[in-house]
Every structure is written in structure tokens, then in C-alpha cells.
């Protein structure tokens, strides 16, 4: 997601970041680079122009150049402006005062509406809502089955009515699902290849019937500026409240995500970052700006951890780490937690300071994790609890037992030691140290997770209570 843009922007700013003093020349150079980076990312030309002008003006402001860390200040300005560009302040969904809340999904063919309908239902259910789905796409015969299958997978009711028309399906579907207890109803509508009159008329009719609380336009990020044009065309006919942007996992450039708010005035509300059903997230412009600039995204990391890790398990681990203990059993447990959080590459990018330095980490894949597991499982109980006792001959034995090499065992031992250091550092508020990643990248995630654990646990309890 945004990898190419991220690299270029970080390159442009990297030079400034480290410098003690800045002059106009250095800033101009950086602005040129930023401009190129954004254009290459397929950001709308007008958007780029005003963005760069705005950053330049602020960067040349008196207080920046005279400050002790002008480079950092410029990075902060770019961060703020990126955030503003994508729409400052997180904007969630609107919920109706009196149930049901209706969410209408619109968009072109293949943009990801049906998949998104399923993902959104799952997300809402995790929040304690009672979602329902209406199959109002009668263009494609298979569309109804597709939605029904999704509904079955996530155990959310789907209303279908074959051989009818969309308006009738929506009317009957809302009534039936609401009577069945649904408080949030998602309408999956038909797409077309292009924005055409038929599509708009159908959508207008469906909208007038459903009187939705939210109209979300589903846009495929991979189509770049085309997605923005589509959004503009939709906005003229069926005003939408926000964008649900899909396929960001396949979009290295980010042009659509960065332009759509400025061009249509409507913010991105949700992003889909993969094909799996749980890969839909609320969109937070500030967090995204941090991710793009390689500053990590601790909040998203915490939320994922929260979803993946059992509260008790997390608490226990936390308590042990507070006592300054980090045995190999803990190490193994944190690895396993991390694996539950999603594809490792994605998770690592959320860790502050790591985003841009992942190239060497391609090998940190599930296979490598299995080797780590094998090594730890080849240790005896006392060895796991007191790793300092693992001397040369024990290392040899462990390598033999796990089918790995002494080198690998050494790397893991070093990684654990680094982790322990990292934990201590983190609790004093320091950023993670890259050295800790040699051979043991994964548990670094544990540290930022832990800092907010109390808060996230509270939140979890609250959401449980709501259910
Ligand atoms: N990689 C990736 N693929 C996605 C994502 N969202 C949807 N897809 C894929 O995109 C394809 C189209 O998704 P659908 O949900 O069927 O799209 P649709 O908008 O309902 O299409 P129509 O019903 O034909 O209008 C499917 O193969 C999905 O698996 C995403 O976030 N990432
Ligand atoms: Mg569909």
C-alpha cells in the first residue's frame, strides 16, 4: 500500500530530516522532489500544485527555519498537510437515531462492492451491531449467490428476492431484516462498466426508496485517477457521504486515495486492504499520513492486536514483561500473537521507524517463523525460562534437534536479548531499535502494543458489554 509514494517521499524528506540548519535552497529542492513524488503517485495535478504551495509557504515560515530542528518541522508540516489532504479528523459512519441504519453501497462493476458489503457486515458485527445484507444487484445472476455465500461465511442474514426489481428488493429487504432484528442494513447494488444513465437512474430510485443513513461510494484504488473521475461523476448525480476505497493492498501509488477528498469534497471512510473478510478498516487520515511518511501507525497496530489477541493472554505477558522477564516461552507466545494479526509484512510496516527499512525483511515470512518455533520447541523447559544458560554445546544440540544451524540458533538468542532491551527501552518511551530485528523482527510489535494495553482492554470490555 502506497509503497512507491512512501519511498519517494521519505527520500525527499530524508535529506532534510537529518540536517541541523535549513535554507531556502534545501527546501526548494525538497519541494521539487515532493512534487515529483506526488505526480508519479498519480495524484491529481491541481491537488499537487496546491499541496506543494501550502507546504512550501509553511516550511519557509520564520519559526521553522529558526527552530532547533527545522528538518523535523518540515516533516511535520508535510504530515499535517497530507492529513488535511485526506480529510483531517476521522469520520466514521453515521448511525440512525432510530434503527435501522441503512448503508447504501454504490460503485462501478468490479470495484469491490459485494466483497465490501460482507466485510463491512463483519466489521459492524464485531462492534456489537446486528447487521443484515440486501442483495439488490439484479444485473448479474451470480451476484445474489455471491452475497448469500458471504453472508453464510460470516453468519449475517441476507435478504434475496429473485426475479424482482431493485427497488422492491430494497423495500422488502429492509422491512424483513429489521423485523428479524437487524439494526444496520447494508445494500449491495449493481455496478456498470461505466458511469451511465441506467446506473444513475437505478441508484436514484434505490436511494429514494431506502433513504440511506450513509451512501458509500466504493472505489477501486488501483484504477488511480480514473477512480477520482468516477467519483466526480457520481457526486453530480447521487451525492455520496464518503468513500469506501478497495484494493489498497494492490495500489503502490496512492493517487486516488490522496486526491478523492480534494476533488469531491467527500472523505474516505473505510479502506479495504486485502481479499480476506477481516481486511476492512476505518480510515484515519492522520494515521495514513504517518504510514506514508514511515512514522509507523501504532494505533492501527494496537487495534489489530486487540482483535487478534486474547485479553488474558495479553495481560499475563504484559505482567511478566513489566517484571523484566522475557523468556523464550514469552517470545514464542508473542510470535504466535503476531501471526494472528495478519501478513507479517503489513504488520511490520505499522511499527514506527521500520516502514522504510523492510527490504531485507522479505525473508521474515511464515516459513521462517516456523523455524523460530522449531528452535524454541527444541529447548528444554529450563533453557526457555533462563536463556542465559544456553551455552555452546546446548546450542549445538538445539540446532540439531530443530533441523537448523547453530548460526540460526545464535541469531535467535541475540534477537531475544535485543527484545528484552527493547521492552525496557519502550517502557521508557523510546522508539524500537532496528538492531532488534536481526533474525527476530516479529516481537518488536509487542512493545508499542503494550503501552496502550490498558486503554485497549478497557475498550474491549466496553464493546463486550454492549453486545
Ligand atoms: N486484492 C484485493 N482484492 C479485492 C479487494 N476488494 C475486492 N477485491 C476483489 O475484487 C473482485 C471484485 O469484487 P466484487 O466485490 O465482486 O466487486 P463488485 O463491485 O461487487 O462487482 P459487480 O458486482 O460486478 O459490480 C473480487 O475478485 C474481489 O476478491 C481488496 O481490497 N483487495
Ligand atoms: Mg457485486
Amino acid at each position: 500500500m502506497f509503497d512507491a509514494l512512501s519511498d519517494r517521499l521519505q527520500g525527499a524528506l530524508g535529506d532534510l530530516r537529518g540536517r541541523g540548519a535549513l535554507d531556502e535552497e534545501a527546501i526548494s529542492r525538497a519541494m521539487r522532489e515532493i512534487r515529483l513524488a506526488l505526480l508519479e503517485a498519480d495524484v491529481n495535478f491541481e491537488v499537487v500544485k496546491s499541496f506543494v504551495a501550502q507546504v512550501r509557504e509553511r516550511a519557509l515560515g520564520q519559526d521553522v527555519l529558526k527552530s532547533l530542528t527545522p528538518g523535523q518541522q518540515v516533516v511535520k508540516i508535510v504530515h499535517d498537510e497530507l492529513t488535511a489532504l485526506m480529510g483531517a479528523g476521522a469520520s466514521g459512519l453515521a448511525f440512525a437515531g432510530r434503527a435501522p441504519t441503512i448503508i447504501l453501497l454504490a460503485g462501478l462493476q468490479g470495484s469491490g462492492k459485494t466483497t465490501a458489503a460482507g466485510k463491512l457486515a463483519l466489521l459492524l458485527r464485531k462492534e456489537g451491531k446486528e447487521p443484515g445484507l440486501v442483495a439488490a444487484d439484479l444485473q448479474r445472476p451470480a451476484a445474489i449467490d455471491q452475497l448469500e455465500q458471504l453472508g453464510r461465511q460470516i453468519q449475517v442474514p441476507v435478504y434475496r428476492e429473485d426475479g424482482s426489481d431493485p427497488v422492491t428488493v430494497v423495500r422488502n429487504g429492509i422491512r424483513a431484516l429489521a423485523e428479524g432484528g437487524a439494526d444496520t442494513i447494508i445494500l449491495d447494488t449493481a455496478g456498470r462498466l461505466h458511469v451511465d444513465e441506467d446506473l444513475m437512474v437505478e441508484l436514484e430510485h434505490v436511494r429514494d426508496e431506502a433513504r440511506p443513513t450513509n451512501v458509500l461510494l466504493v472505489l477501486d484504488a488501483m484504477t488511480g485517477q480514473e477512480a477520482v473521475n468516477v467519483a466526480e461523476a457520481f457526486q453530480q448525480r447521487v451525492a455520496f457521504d464518503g468513500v469506501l476505497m478497495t484494493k489498497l493492498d494492490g495500489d503502490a501509488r496512492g493517487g486516488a486515495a490522496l486526491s478523492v477528498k480534494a476533488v469531491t469534497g467527500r472523505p474516505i471512510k473505510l479502506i479495504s486492504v486485502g481479499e480476506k473478510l477481516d481486511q476492512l478498516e476505518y480510515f484515519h487520515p492522520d494515521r495514513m499520513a504517518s504510514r506514508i511518511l514511515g512514522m509507523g501507525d501504532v494505533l492501527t497496530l494496537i487495534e489489530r492486536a486487540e482483535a487478534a489477541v486474547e485479553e488474558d493472554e495479553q495481560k499475563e505477558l504484559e505482567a511478566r514483561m513489566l517484571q523484566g522477564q522475557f523468556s523464550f516461552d514469552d517470545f514464542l507466545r508473542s510470535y504466535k500473537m503476531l501471526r494472528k494479526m495478519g501478513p507479517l509484512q503489513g504488520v511490520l510496516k505499522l511499527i514506527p521507524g521500520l516502514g522504510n527499512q523492510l527490504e531485507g525483511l522479505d525473508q521474515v515470512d511464515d516459513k521462517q517463523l516456523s523455524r523460530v518455533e522449531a528452535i524454541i520447541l527444541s529447548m528444554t523447559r529450563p533453557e526457555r525460562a533462563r536463556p542465559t544458560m544456553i551455552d555452546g554445546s546446548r546450542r549445538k544440540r538445539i540446532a540439531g534437534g530443530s533441523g537448523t544451524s547453530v548460526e540460526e540458533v545464535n541469531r535467535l538468542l541475540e534477537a531475544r536479548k535485543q527484545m528484552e532491551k527493547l521492552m525496557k527501552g519502550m517502557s521508557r518511551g523510546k522508539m524500537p531499535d532496528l538492531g532488534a530485528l536481526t533474525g527476530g523482527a516479529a516481537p518488536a510489535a509487542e512493545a508499542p502494543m503494550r503501552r496502550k494495553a490498558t486503554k485497549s482492554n478497557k475498550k474491549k470490555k466496553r464493546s463486550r458489554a454492549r453486545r
Side-chain angles (χ1 to χ4, degrees), residues 23 35 40 81 92 134 157 194 198 240 243 270 282 334 354 379 393 438 451 455 467:
D23 51 26
R35 188 172 157 273
E40 225 165 78
E81 291 296 326
V134 177
H194 308 282
D198 286 351
F240 56 91
V243 169
L270 292 145
Y282 286 106
S334 47
L354 286 189
M379 295 173 187
S393 68
T438 344
R451 275 196 303 185
K455 188 182 150 218
R467 240 167 270 165

Side-chain angles (χ1 to χ4, degrees), residues 383 387-398 409-410 413:
E383 282 169 351
T388 41
M389 73 187 285
I390 305 178
D391 57 15
S393 68
R394 287 175 189 266
R395 288 174 199 212
K396 228 186 254 166
R397 195 207 73 238
I398 292 168
V409 175
N410 283 342
L413 289 169

Side-chain angles (χ1 to χ4, degrees), residues 113-114 137 140 143 146 188-189:
K113 289 179 299 301
T114 306
D137 174 1
R140 268 194 318 121
Q146 187 192 352
D188 180 31
T189 63

Side-chain angles (χ1 to χ4, degrees), residues 306 311 315 452-465:
E306 194 182 24
E311 193 174 347
K315 265 201 182 138
K452 291 262 175 96
T454 330
K455 188 182 150 218
S456 57
N457 284 344
K458 261 189 222 145
K459 210 168 93 197
K460 200 163 175 181
K461 272 192 199 121
R462 243 186 290 127
S463 70
R464 271 195 196 144

Side-chain angles (χ1 to χ4, degrees), residues 222-263:
M222 287 166 74
T223 59
Q225 279 314 296
E226 186 47 32
V228 180
N229 295 337
V230 167
E232 236 184 329
F234 265 85
Q235 188 61 3
Q236 281 160 17
R237 288 294 293 267
V238 191
F240 56 91
D241 303 298
V243 169
L244 189 161
M245 192 150 284
T246 62
K247 308 186 199 179
L248 271 170
D249 51 314
D251 174 35
R253 304 210 289 172
L258 284 170
S259 317
V260 76
K261 166 75 172 25
V263 173

Side-chain angles (χ1 to χ4, degrees), residues 129-179:
K129 301 273 191 303
E130 291 288 347
L133 292 159
V134 177
D137 174 1
L138 303 174
Q139 287 288 317
R140 268 194 318 121
I144 300 178
D145 294 335
Q146 187 192 352
L147 191 69
E148 194 163 52
Q149 207 175 344
L150 278 171
R152 215 174 305 130
Q153 250 174 315
I154 56 175
Q155 294 173 325
V156 165
V158 175
Y159 181 85
R160 70 181 289 170
E161 192 177 309
D162 299 51
S164 184
D165 66 283
V167 173
T168 310
V169 174
V170 163
R171 183 188 313 131
N172 295 340
I174 291 175
R175 194 188 312 126
L177 288 169
E179 276 169 9

